[in-house]
Amino acid sequence: MAEAQEQSGGQVCHWHPERETRLSCGRCGKSICTDCMGRHPVGVRCKECASPTPLPTYRVSPDYVARGLGAAAAAGLGGAIVLSVLARFFGNGFLFLFLMVGFGYVVGEVVSAAVNRRRGRPYQYVAAAGALVATAPVLLPLLLFGSFGLFGLLGVGVAVWVAQARLAP
């Protein structure tokens, strides 16, 4: 390859020795042609150096899922106790929807803090499950006794949606 560089008087691509180039990788310094270059947030990289590594925010690990499940269970049980008391005062009216938005946000935030602010589908499912546990005092009477309360059912859906949206990628 050094002979090809001397004959042409310029640099040649590391992977295509028949192509002259003036580009080089910003990380490793290899000469690259336009077919081998990859655009990177910090400049031009070769195809080996341009492969992106996933951000730690979006990595899913079993340890963090377990931590999230524990936090969701604690937030859900604590929320169920508080919600059972507050539901007597607010009933299943329009103001109840705002209460459910707050519950969903709190559950999502607790799970987010437990998983070190990571994001991803498994964490969303964990937060949604925690919100379902928190809204059990509303959901169980609706399912068991058939007392269909539109605001109650809508409130449960809103709480679950807000909790999972808090951890969306």
Side-chain angles (χ1 to χ4, degrees):
M1 186 168 13
E3 298 164 1
Q5 284 180 345
E6 290 175 12
Q7 290 174 356
S8 64
Q11 293 181 337
V12 293
C13 177
H14 181 76
W15 288 275
H16 303 106
E18 69 280 358
R19 297 184 188 172
E20 284 190 39
T21 183
R22 291 186 181 193
L23 294 172
S24 62
C25 176
R27 184 169 183 215
C28 66
K30 292 179 185 170
S31 298
I32 52 175
C33 65
T34 54
D35 290 339
C36 296
M37 84 174 184
R39 298 195 187 279
H40 200 267
V42 293
V44 176
R45 298 277 173 98
C46 67
K47 55 187 174 183
E48 290 177 347
C49 296
S51 60
T53 57
L55 293 173
T57 304
Y58 300 108
R59 288 190 194 138
V60 176
S61 71
D63 294 338
Y64 279 104
V65 172
R67 286 172 60 181
L69 283 171
L77 292 175
I81 292 168
V82 172
L83 186 60
S84 64
V85 171
L86 291 178
R88 296 179 191 259
F89 295 113
F90 290 105
N92 279 343
F94 185 69
L95 191 56
F96 183 73
L97 287 176
F98 292 107
L99 178 68
M100 297 307 278
V101 168
F103 267 90
Y105 182 82
V106 167
V107 170
E109 189 61 29
V110 166
V111 172
S112 178
V115 298
N116 200 19
R117 305 288 181 210
R118 292 183 178 205
R119 298 180 178 278
R121 287 254 186 248
Y123 304 128
Q124 285 181 288
Y125 297 144
V126 166
L132 281 174
V133 170
T135 57
V138 176
L139 194 58
L140 287 178
L142 289 174
L143 296 175
L144 296 177
F145 304 117
S147 61
F148 184 76
L150 181 63
F151 283 111
L153 194 57
L154 191 60
V156 170
V158 166
V160 170
W161 183 78
V162 168
Q164 68 84 27
R166 185 70 191 90
L167 292 140

